[in-house]
Amino acid sequence: GFRGSIHVSTADSVEGPWSAPEAVVFADHSETFWGGWTNPSPHVDPDGTIHLAFQAQPKTLPPQSRLFHQGDDVIGVATSPHPAGPFTTTTTRPVTPDAWYCVAGQEEDPFLWRSPRGYHILAHGMCPTGFMQGRYMFSEDGERWVTSRRQPYGYRVELAGGRSRRMMRVERPQLYFNTTHEDGTVSDPLVLYNGVCEDGGNLVAKFKRCVLEQAGMTWTLARPLKQAVLV
């Protein structure tokens, strides 16, 4: 198999002891998913089958990525009966097909879950720039995916007391669910988590610090959802 940079440790209890990190193996790859596997997001079925969303890069970077010295991040999905693999890809193409104007690829930071309706992914959008972008993708079978044109979450955060704050970076989305069904599917999301950055005294300073320099202070934001909109 072909080894990526994803590693896994296992234990019979969250309190440990945990095994030494073991490299996750991918049984197959293509020129689209050639290497650089990172940002794993697993959903585990009751029978132990693991559905894994991952971020990878192609064998050959497109001209626009080479021109701006960027990677070309795309998202795929694979399955395995074991945490360390070997994982077999279920998507021969990226969940969202790449485009010529995507300087750094399509998406990163996937969060995968399976609901009674099918498979879902939230991700940080990277096309065309990665600024002010979130993505939502859906599939009934985990193989054929559709990417929504609607922004799944905003960069303006409403606070208690009527105030709001504009975040310059809102990445690494994850959901907390209220209901887990017998078949392993989940529903009724209660909280959306993101890694965010708003370091700086004004919008210009925040943009420079968080986006251009990517050196601002980051922290985890939790936003309660008013209703279960993704089931």
Side-chain angles (χ1 to χ4, degrees), residues 38-42 52-56 74-77 95 107-112 120-124 137 172-174:
T38 56
N39 294 15
S41 177
L52 184 72
F54 60 89
Q55 175 182 322
V74 291
I75 291 175
V77 178
V95 170
E107 292 117 2
E108 64 175 359
D109 306 338
F111 174 72
L112 169 71
H120 313 253
I121 292 178
L122 283 178
H124 173 226
M137 294 81 86
R172 302 188 181 276
Q174 296 188 34

Side-chain angles (χ1 to χ4, degrees), residues 159-170:
L159 304 175
R163 297 178 298 128
S164 65
R165 289 157 71 171
R166 171 76 69 178
M167 302 297 168
M168 290 294 105
R169 290 172 60 188
V170 181

Side-chain angles (χ1 to χ4, degrees), residues 4-202:
S5 57
I6 299 173
H7 287 68
V8 63
S9 296
T10 59
D12 293 331
S13 167
V14 293
E15 298 178 353
W18 290 84
S19 65
E22 181 180 359
V24 171
V25 175
F26 286 83
D28 58 348
H29 69 175
S30 63
E31 292 195 359
T32 300
F33 304 122
W34 186 259
W37 290 283
T38 56
N39 294 15
S41 177
H43 180 97
V44 183
D45 289 339
D47 65 359
T49 300
I50 301 168
H51 306 269
L52 184 72
F54 60 89
Q55 175 182 322
Q57 295 197 2
K59 182 178 181 180
T60 304
L61 294 179
Q64 68 272 20
S65 297
R66 296 197 300 270
L67 176 64
F68 291 95
H69 303 286
Q70 297 288 327
D72 188 44
D73 297 326
V74 291
I75 291 175
V77 178
T79 61
S80 173
H82 305 290
F87 278 87
T88 301
T89 55
T90 59
T91 49
T92 58
R93 303 178 61 195
V95 170
T96 304
D98 210 354
W100 65 268
Y101 51 84
C102 299
V103 173
Q106 275 286 359
E107 292 117 2
E108 64 175 359
D109 306 338
F111 174 72
L112 169 71
W113 75 98
R114 188 165 70 92
S115 79
R117 277 204 310 128
Y119 297 84
H120 313 253
I121 292 178
L122 283 178
H124 173 226
M126 294 293 291
C127 181
T129 64
F131 178 57
M132 294 288 184
Q133 290 180 274
R135 294 278 174 79
Y136 167 69
M137 294 81 86
F138 174 75
S139 171
E140 291 184 346
D141 56 12
E143 300 179 9
R144 295 164 294 183
W145 290 83
V146 176
T147 300
S148 174
R149 296 182 179 180
R150 297 184 61 182
Q151 183 91 352
Y153 51 82
Y155 277 52
R156 179 178 294 278
V157 179
E158 303 296 331
L159 304 175
R163 297 178 298 128
S164 65
R165 289 157 71 171
R166 171 76 69 178
M167 302 297 168
M168 290 294 105
R169 290 172 60 188
V170 181
E171 305 178 10
R172 302 188 181 276
Q174 296 188 34
L175 291 170
Y176 172 74
F177 293 93
N178 185 51
T179 304
T180 300
H181 304 278
E182 291 185 0
D183 62 355
T185 60
V186 293
S187 60
D188 305 322
L190 296 181
V191 183
L192 169 66
Y193 298 93
N194 290 101
V196 299
C197 179
E198 60 158 353
D199 199 2
N202 54 54

